Amino acid sequence: MASGTTTWRAATEAALYGPSGFYLRPEGPAGHFRTSVHASPLFAGAVAELLRRVDEALGHPAELAFTDVGAGRGELLTAVLARTAPELGARLRPYAVERAERPSGLDERVTWLGELPEGVDGLLFANEWLDNVPVDVAETDAEGIARQVLVQQDGEELLGEPVTGAEADWLARWWPLDGAPPGSRAEIGLPRDAAWARAVGSLRSG
């Protein structure tokens, strides 16, 4: 890799989660755009109902986890807690998984974590999270070979080495570029698959 260049994945990681990264800024994502979490209280109501159904399906365990992955500034957790019946609320263990610092004034019942809690029973919720897991990008060159897209410090892109190994296998299965015209692109979603597997694996039941 040439000096001053990096992979698409590394460049995205720095832009989103590095020093002064977008998702670590004090105003949080809600300072720039709205998602379903912010758009209507009906969304939190639906999640609270889902949580109630998970509790029922698990036989009302002594402790029920509600894990919000990519929790922003705790907006969804706050709204769901406000809509949870007292009996369930007494057994609820809410977790916020987020790389930003814990916001001031957040309900003290919320456990703020940088990593997923392990071996819990309950509901894992990941609203618009996987699209923020950085991945590499491949592009076909003039010969139709899928190559990694590299990013220079000034933002200019160039093609690197051919995609090989597990990443090439992933492309062949999920986003094949064979026969695609030059300049065709694909996201190599292997890191997202791994992130989702870790998330699902954090649940003992739920």
Side-chain angles (χ1 to χ4, degrees):
M1 188 182 300
S3 176
T5 63
T6 187
T7 64
W8 183 283
R9 181 181 179 187
T12 305
E13 174 76 23
L16 297 182
Y17 305 111
S20 301
F22 178 79
Y23 283 106
L24 303 188
R25 295 174 185 170
E27 69 274 15
H32 299 271
F33 56 81
R34 295 199 309 167
T35 68
S36 48
V37 172
H38 312 107
S40 168
L42 295 176
F43 186 77
V47 176
E49 172 61 17
L50 177 60
L51 183 63
R52 186 195 65 77
R53 295 185 185 189
V54 170
D55 179 53
E56 183 176 351
L58 294 178
H60 310 291
E63 181 174 285
L64 183 75
F66 175 37
T67 304
D68 186 11
V69 185
R73 299 303 178 267
E75 297 95 338
L76 179 61
L77 280 163
T78 299
V80 170
L81 284 171
R83 289 164 175 77
T84 300
E87 188 279 328
L88 175 54
R91 295 182 287 108
L92 192 62
R93 184 72 183 273
Y95 295 97
V97 180
E98 178 57 63
R99 295 171 70 169
E101 294 294 326
R102 181 188 182 100
S104 61
L106 184 66
D107 192 308
E108 62 181 14
R109 291 175 290 175
V110 176
T111 300
W112 194 267
L113 300 173
E115 299 290 341
L116 288 156
E118 294 293 337
V120 298
D121 305 295
L123 173 64
L124 183 141
F125 202 81
N127 188 63
E128 301 189 30
W129 166 58
L130 286 176
D131 56 347
N132 293 315
V133 175
V135 298
D136 279 318
V137 172
E139 180 179 320
T140 52
D141 63 13
E143 285 73 45
I145 297 172
R147 295 180 177 272
Q148 275 211 3
V149 177
L150 304 180
V151 182
Q152 300 188 102
Q153 290 182 346
D154 62 1
E156 185 177 349
E157 299 174 357
L158 64 155
L159 297 187
E161 296 296 317
V163 179
T164 59
E167 293 186 331
D169 293 341
W170 190 95
L171 282 179
R173 180 176 183 182
W174 299 110
W175 202 328
L177 290 174
D178 291 347
S184 298
R185 287 192 168 191
E187 294 183 345
I188 306 172
L190 199 59
R192 289 181 183 147
D193 289 353
W196 181 243
R198 288 195 302 273
V200 172
S202 72
L203 287 175
R204 182 168 51 203
S205 64

